[in-house]
Amino acid sequence: MTDSGTTPSASDPSKPAPRRAAVSQQTNVQETIESILVAFILAFIFRAFVVEAFVIPTGSMAPTLLGAHMRFFCPDCGYKFTANYSSPRSESDDVFIPAQAEGVRGPRGTEPRVYPIHCPNCGYKLPKVDPQRPTNDATSPPVHHGDRILVMKYLYLFNEPQRWDVVVFKSPDSPELHDYTQNYIKRLVGKPNEVVMILDGDIYVAPNTGTPPAPADFVVQTKTARVQDALWRVVYDNDFHPSGETRARDWRQPWAPTEGAGWNLSLNGGRTFRFDTDSGTNRGTLHFDAAAMPETFPFQDFLGYDQTYWDRNLLNVAARGDLWDAPLMPPRHTVADLQLSVVYERQAGDGPLRLRLSKERDVFTAEVLPDRVRLLRATDGGEPTLVGEKSMSLDGKVRVALQNVDYRASIIVNGQEVVATGADYAPNVEALITAGGGRIKPLPTAEIEAVDQTCDVSHVGLHRDIHYINAGPSNELARPWGNPRSPIFLGPDEYFVCGDNSLISGDARVWSSPINLPGEDLVVEAGRVPGRFMLGKAFFVYWPAGYKPLPGLPGLAPNFGEMRFIH
């Protein structure tokens, strides 16, 4: 017989549920807390050993990576560009970023800061005050945070660092201030057991045998295609054709006809050039006139990002807030490493389209025919000789580029290199050293020629390579490490790094503090990064200099269109 006063039957819905449900709920809460704790632990492990986020504080790697900066667009040609903003460093890796460029204290109180901002593409000078575009004039423009990046930590425990990697490391410089805790980001240009020399804007390397190498031992280092694509600097991009804004001096098209009269430069608002043999000539040449836009200093090592820096010998910056009439810091070096690219469409005729670039004694020509491309080289004014050719169909619109960079000339068709020079095209290192390392010299030339055809040439772009400097403001080589007078000798676990914005980068070229940690068995001369200081490789910009939804607010939303891998 059952006792009706005992535990109720589980099948009786009118009776209360067992305590098992309460226990189950308590277990779920416990599991959730444990899962959150495990997630935090894994996140900290991931951050400590796999990937960590860093912020770019300064402009030493610009425009590859942006520190605190100001954004502008040219009201005339529409080109978008950035300019450096110098902010005081904090104790951390971050910097204080004001909402607007801070003014300076003057005799009448704080005066607004006014910058001499020019478009690096067409040279248009932004007005002091623009009522229609108040955030795009030269007076106290908005300031934006630097890029935030992801770094693959401890990658170099498994793979050796490669030349041209963008690396994050503990800075060896100024240990009295930071005690080797400050994070730096630069581009790796020198590897262990090498002798590194910066010459004419390029990186040269010789084996470190313990004795000074002869000039002939140095070999110029060619960048990979992806790295090179990240390091081109605009000379002039005709897709951004000025629309006729009022200027102090009238703008004129730098691509000017010099032979024949067959070119029409006014199609598509000036963005497309057409050559037509029906115009009465079978040949026409366009020459890039560097004098057409003196404000942009074509073919020289001027960088639009550095417009907020000035030559202290020309101007007492600290004493003035209105710098609109201040002269820009003049460039000091000629840059002849160039890329000329076009989109080419042949409508009739079978004559060649020729792209030409000169550098010192050599003139290289990319010759585009209906069924092949040819690379030619002429030296000292002689007749062009064939370097190489590639048979291929060139129907329809074709993207063609001729580039001469790091003593390698090549033709690129639709993004693929098809013809290039070999070992016979190499620098005369001894002559370059004797000449002073690449100071101002005759400018290079760029030309587009069409023969016996009707064709359209659009998306015309002219770009120059990054130019690493090794000279001070005078004619004497002033930087201590890497110049021809003092090439840097790297030991078995030592690296040499430079910033992409060579003019303002406080990188290994100028470090003066050796590393002396005898307790850790680490003694390294100045100018080197020991392998154990390497933190990892920067590989992705995940928060590119956030947008400001309203004036006065920080950048709360990332610029998704600028998310990118770092090369």
Side-chain angles (χ1 to χ4, degrees):
M1 184 173 80
T2 61
D3 184 351
S4 61
T6 60
T7 304
S9 169
S11 61
D12 185 356
S14 65
K15 305 295 182 181
R19 298 187 71 251
R20 173 183 324 163
V23 173
S24 176
Q25 183 178 2
Q26 181 179 357
T27 302
N28 289 338
V29 172
Q30 181 178 346
E31 289 177 350
T32 300
I33 294 174
E34 289 177 351
S35 298
I36 293 173
L37 290 175
V38 169
F40 271 110
I41 292 170
L42 290 177
F44 280 118
I45 292 174
F46 188 78
R47 180 183 184 276
F49 296 102
V50 183
V51 173
E52 185 173 354
F54 290 85
V55 64
I56 305 300
T58 71
S60 68
M61 283 293 292
T64 307
L65 298 172
L66 300 177
H69 66 282
M70 300 173 291
R71 298 179 190 161
F72 303 98
F73 71 91
C74 177
D76 201 5
C77 74
Y79 189 80
K80 294 180 179 180
F81 60 100
T82 57
N84 183 76
Y85 180 77
S86 296
S87 288
R89 292 294 297 269
S90 66
E91 293 301 320
S92 66
D93 288 336
D94 214 335
V95 293
F96 168 71
I97 309 295
Q100 292 180 299
E102 294 183 317
V104 294
R105 294 187 179 277
R108 293 172 293 182
T110 301
E111 300 176 4
R113 174 72 79 183
V114 186
Y115 296 97
I117 300 296
H118 295 72
C119 171
N121 185 62
C122 74
Y124 178 82
K125 189 174 184 180
L126 267 62
K128 286 186 180 183
V129 178
D130 188 342
Q132 295 182 335
R133 297 169 283 257
T135 62
N136 192 59
D137 57 32
T139 302
S140 297
V143 180
H144 298 262
H145 286 254
D147 291 330
R148 294 183 180 271
I149 65 170
L150 296 178
V151 175
M152 189 70 70
K153 299 186 69 175
Y154 302 109
L155 172 67
Y156 297 137
L157 292 178
F158 309 100
N159 298 290
E160 290 293 323
Q162 299 300 306
R163 195 181 330 274
W164 311 120
D165 281 357
V166 177
V167 297
V168 175
F169 54 93
K170 293 298 181 184
S171 171
D173 193 40
S174 303
E176 69 280 2
L177 298 178
H178 306 296
D179 194 25
Y180 307 117
T181 61
Q182 192 81 353
N183 296 328
Y184 272 16
I185 183 166
K186 307 291 178 188
R187 192 174 296 275
L188 191 151
V189 300
K191 298 168 61 179
N193 300 312
E194 292 181 342
V195 184
V196 181
M197 176 174 64
I198 300 173
L199 182 63
D200 196 22
D202 295 328
I203 302 297
Y204 287 76
V205 164
N208 185 357
T209 62
T211 58
D217 296 330
F218 284 96
V219 177
V220 65
Q221 299 302 298
T222 303
K223 295 178 280 294
T224 65
R226 286 186 175 180
V227 171
Q228 186 61 64
D229 286 344
L231 294 178
W232 290 119
R233 312 300 190 222
V234 68
V235 175
Y236 176 65
D237 187 339
N238 196 60
D239 280 352
F240 299 91
H241 185 88
S243 58
E245 291 282 324
T246 302
R247 298 171 177 244
R249 57 186 300 273
D250 291 338
W251 181 86
R252 58 188 173 92
Q253 169 65 259
W255 288 105
T258 58
E259 180 182 344
W263 285 103
N264 180 351
L265 306 184
S266 61
L267 275 67
N268 190 22
R271 293 173 178 82
T272 298
F273 305 154
R274 174 168 291 173
F275 181 78
D276 192 345
T277 53
D278 291 341
S279 63
T281 179
N282 71 333
R283 179 190 302 266
T285 302
L286 299 176
H287 176 85
F288 187 83
D289 181 7
M293 300 184 302
E295 299 89 352
T296 65
F297 306 102
F299 303 139
Q300 297 180 38
D301 64 330
F302 173 79
L303 188 61
Y305 188 86
D306 294 333
Q307 296 185 73
T308 56
Y309 283 82
W310 302 273
D311 191 328
R312 300 305 170 110
N313 295 324
L314 300 177
L315 177 72
N316 182 4
V317 176
R320 294 179 58 185
D322 188 344
L323 300 162
W324 196 75
D325 292 320
L328 297 173
M329 182 180 288
R332 299 169 185 155
H333 304 89
T334 298
V335 183
D337 282 11
L338 304 173
Q339 181 193 68
L340 172 58
S341 61
V342 303
V343 170
Y344 168 61
E345 184 178 19
R346 181 192 301 266
Q347 278 96 30
D350 57 3
L353 177 82
R354 298 186 178 112
L355 309 181
R356 290 196 189 92
L357 294 174
S358 72
K359 179 176 180 178
E360 299 170 359
R361 300 169 53 205
D362 293 296
V363 177
F364 287 95
T365 302
E367 192 171 75
V368 184
L369 296 159
D371 59 350
R372 66 191 185 278
V373 293
R374 307 170 74 225
L375 180 62
L376 301 104
R377 177 185 180 186
T379 303
D380 291 331
E383 289 297 315
T385 59
L386 182 65
V387 173
E389 65 179 359
K390 175 73 172 180
S391 297
M392 58 193 311
S393 175
L394 294 161
D395 295 332
K397 291 185 178 181
V398 184
R399 165 69 72 174
V400 181
L402 170 65
Q403 63 185 43
N404 183 8
V405 59
D406 300 331
Y407 287 89
R408 178 182 173 85
S410 61
I411 301 175
I412 299 169
V413 178
N414 292 332
Q416 299 295 318
E417 182 180 275
V418 294
V419 187
T421 53
D424 58 328
Y425 180 43
N428 184 331
V429 179
E430 186 170 6
L432 287 173
I433 294 174
T434 301
R439 292 192 167 278
I440 293 294
K441 53 192 174 187
L443 297 178
T445 58
E447 292 181 339
I448 303 172
E449 180 187 38
V451 181
D452 290 330
Q453 62 181 291
T454 298
C455 66
D456 285 347
V457 176
S458 58
H459 302 290
V460 179
L462 186 59
H463 293 78
R464 69 165 179 86
D465 187 25
I466 185 176
H467 188 91
Y468 294 106
I469 62 173
N470 55 19
S474 68
N475 288 329
E476 295 184 3
L477 298 173
R479 295 184 181 264
W481 301 120
N483 70 48
R485 294 184 180 180
S486 55
I488 191 159
F489 289 71
L490 300 175
D493 191 33
E494 297 173 356
Y495 298 88
F496 191 64
V497 296
C498 288
D500 285 357
N501 190 352
S502 187
L503 182 65
I504 67 169
S505 177
D507 53 40
R509 297 168 301 163
V510 296
W511 294 343
S512 58
S513 303
I515 300 173
N516 187 15
L517 297 172
E520 300 181 24
D521 194 26
L522 184 63
V523 178
V524 179
E525 292 184 64
R528 289 99 172 148
V529 179
R532 72 177 73 173
F533 276 29
M534 287 285 187
L535 296 180
K537 177 182 178 180
F539 73 96
F540 190 71
V541 179
Y542 75 94
W543 194 282
Y547 281 116
K548 294 186 176 184
L550 292 172
L553 292 179
L556 300 177
N559 184 353
F560 291 103
E562 292 298 322
M563 288 183 175
R564 61 197 183 276
F565 286 98
I566 299 169
H567 299 292

